[in-house]
Amino acid sequence: APLVCAMEERSIAVEMLGLCKHYLLYQTTSLEIPSKLLSLATGKDIAESVLLTAAKRVKTLERAFNVLRGIRRSDDTLPERLFDNPVAQGPFAGETIDKNLFSEMIDDFYQTSGWDANGIPRQQTFDELGLSKEWELFNSRMNKREHPDV
């Protein structure tokens, strides 16, 4: 799960710059060149860590947006056939994905992302990313969804 989070955040960083995320697959997982390109374009020294923090903000805000539209853990899954039907051929012939192991990976992914067990970003995550005001808005909208009469 930490590797998946890291690659997802690097993909977001590259996409924020308008580059193809396949850069990460075929060139390098480093954001050194993209951060240098951004530095040259803006005239400001932008470190790789700054890009990654921005990507984590995007990831957290995207998830918060989706949560407000009803997305939860039950939506973070794969087609049932991948759990039930063995692979027909190739190096993984006869294999299926173990639902329990997949669920554990989701737990790890959520924890690494700073989300709760239902896939909802935590206040601490917003705060650590400098998104405290966004947390207040998100939390108030969540409360309205949970208590529409209030």
Side-chain angles (χ1 to χ4, degrees):
L3 179 61
V4 171
C5 282
M7 287 306 295
E8 180 181 49
E9 290 158 4
R10 282 170 167 67
S11 292
I12 292 169
V14 168
E15 289 176 337
M16 288 183 335
L17 299 175
L19 301 171
C20 177
K21 67 182 173 185
H22 293 288
Y23 164 82
L24 296 170
L25 296 174
Y26 302 116
Q27 301 296 322
T28 176
T29 59
S30 169
L31 295 177
E32 180 182 357
I33 292 173
S35 65
K36 283 184 181 180
L37 290 172
L38 184 58
S39 296
L40 290 170
T42 62
K44 297 179 180 181
D45 187 28
I46 300 180
E48 199 172 328
S49 61
V50 172
L51 279 180
L52 283 174
T53 298
K56 289 177 184 181
R57 287 182 182 130
V58 167
K59 177 181 171 180
T60 299
L61 292 172
E62 282 180 349
R63 184 61 180 203
F65 179 87
N66 288 334
V67 164
L68 289 173
R69 274 130 194 92
I71 297 295
R72 295 293 186 281
R73 183 186 185 99
S74 61
D75 300 296
D76 292 328
T77 191
L78 298 170
E80 282 298 315
R81 65 182 169 76
L82 297 177
F83 298 112
D84 298 334
N85 301 339
V87 174
Q89 57 189 6
F92 297 103
E95 298 285 334
T96 60
I97 296 174
D98 183 292
K99 267 191 178 183
N100 292 327
L101 291 176
F102 185 79
S103 181
E104 289 176 20
M105 195 219 59
I106 294 291
D107 291 338
D108 290 346
F109 180 85
Y110 286 176
Q111 183 175 1
T112 303
S113 298
W115 304 346
D116 71 12
N118 291 313
I120 300 171
R122 300 176 189 276
Q123 179 177 1
Q124 178 182 353
T125 304
F126 276 83
D127 293 343
E128 288 172 357
L129 295 171
L131 299 171
S132 297
K133 290 182 181 179
E134 289 77 1
W135 164 260
E136 291 173 17
L137 181 60
F138 172 66
N139 192 43
S140 73
R141 289 185 178 176
M142 282 292 291
N143 286 334
K144 285 180 184 176
R145 287 184 59 84
E146 292 172 7
H147 309 288
D149 300 336
V150 178

